[in-house]
Amino acid sequence: MRLLVVEDDRDLNRQLVKAFEQVGYAVDEAFDGEEGEFLGETEPYDAVVLDIGLPGKDGVAVLEAWRKAGRKMPVLVLTARDRWSEKVQAFDAGADDYVTKPFHLEEVLARLRALVRRASGHASSDLVCGPVRIDTRTSRVSVNDVTIKLTSLEYRLISYLMHHAGRVVSRTELVEHLYDQDFDRDSNTIEVFVGRLRKKLGVDAIRTIRGLGYVLEPPGNVVTPSASAG
Ligand code: CA
């Protein structure tokens, strides 16, 4: 899962990015409205944290531009003052949730988890696919109730596949959602990570769809008539 933080307060921006990276997100940051608008319009984020009081173009205008351009990613806005009109403006511009400053990081993290899971059609913070389970609150991954130790990149991979279980995910899509923009991306390394993840999971849950990508499904799941023939 990949996030964008648009916040001009450098300390706060850094704190948010650090907190998000610690729980397993890939994170890009922007420090003004123009930069944020550009990134949100060109990169596929799973959620965005957008400050309303930004130099240049304010958060509401940035959000309006994204929605006008058809960008549908969930957006959590940060409002500096407890002003109801600012919140109304933000929601009407296309915001999905808000937090008023000052806030507790835990609350922002919980709201982001909720936005990310709802955007991919999940209601529970526990994602389950056959014997594989992710508790998104603790970033704990288990197979048949045994905890599996994963690197942060492996966690991002399983988390993305779990959020989109049952759908074929291409290698390009994985690259776009697992790495931040500064990362030296190479879609060939995805294959290596999938191989490692399969080994650690120890169950046959990630299927390769030749030429298309990968799909996470319960082991033994038969999805096409041709796969069950004979
Ligand atoms: Ca600000």
Side-chain angles (χ1 to χ4, degrees):
M1 293 293 165
R2 182 173 169 204
L3 307 179
L4 171 66
V5 175
V6 189
E7 166 60 70
D8 60 306
D9 178 329
R10 293 206 163 244
D11 284 341
L12 185 56
N13 191 312
R14 192 158 34 84
Q15 277 176 39
L16 288 167
V17 170
K18 200 174 149 206
F20 298 158
E21 283 176 344
Q22 267 170 359
V23 295
Y25 295 104
V27 193
D28 290 340
E29 70 275 310
F31 299 94
D32 62 58
E34 280 82 7
E35 191 187 5
E37 183 185 347
F38 174 75
L39 283 174
E41 225 163 70
T42 51
E43 299 290 329
Y45 295 106
D46 295 296
V48 176
V49 175
L50 175 67
D51 184 31
I52 293 298
L54 292 169
K57 199 164 188 171
D58 75 30
V60 171
V62 170
L63 190 47
E64 274 169 350
W66 284 339
R67 296 316 191 205
K68 208 174 158 195
R71 306 298 287 172
K72 296 191 174 79
M73 68 284 191
V75 174
L76 171 85
V77 296
L78 304 177
T79 63
R81 294 135 293 178
D82 198 12
R83 269 178 37 190
W84 66 268
S85 61
E86 200 171 88
K87 291 171 204 159
V88 170
Q89 268 189 329
F91 276 114
D92 283 343
D96 299 277
D97 201 357
Y98 74 91
V99 172
T100 304
K101 294 178 183 176
F103 50 77
H104 290 280
L105 276 172
E106 282 304 325
E107 185 183 345
V108 175
L109 287 169
R111 288 179 181 276
L112 273 177
R113 286 196 294 273
L115 288 178
V116 167
R117 72 174 180 250
R118 274 189 227 128
S120 55
H122 297 274
S124 165
S125 54
D126 261 330
L127 305 180
V128 182
C129 181
V132 185
R133 175 186 292 266
I134 291 188
D135 182 344
T136 57
R137 289 162 297 188
T138 55
S139 308
R140 176 178 178 263
V141 178
S142 62
V143 177
N144 292 319
D145 289 328
V146 178
T147 301
I148 309 290
K149 259 193 94 72
L150 299 176
T151 65
S152 64
L153 206 55
E154 288 163 353
Y155 176 77
R156 275 182 219 161
L157 177 57
I158 188 69
S159 174
Y160 193 81
L161 290 173
M162 285 290 269
H163 276 87
H164 299 281
R167 173 166 81 71
V168 179
V169 176
S170 71
R171 274 197 275 175
T172 310
E173 183 178 343
L174 285 174
V175 167
E176 285 177 334
H177 290 269
L178 302 193
Y179 300 122
D180 60 60
Q181 60 166 349
D182 299 330
F183 199 88
D184 184 17
R185 297 155 180 211
D186 176 2
S187 71
N188 289 320
T189 58
I190 292 291
E191 223 165 336
V192 177
F193 282 117
V194 169
R196 275 188 219 155
L197 184 58
R198 277 189 177 128
K199 221 171 188 172
K200 286 193 180 179
L201 294 179
V203 289
D204 193 17
I206 305 171
R207 246 189 358 130
T208 301
I209 310 294
R210 205 169 289 275
L212 292 176
Y214 305 97
V215 60
L216 187 89
E217 56 192 15
N221 197 19
V222 174
V223 290
T224 59
S226 60
S228 64

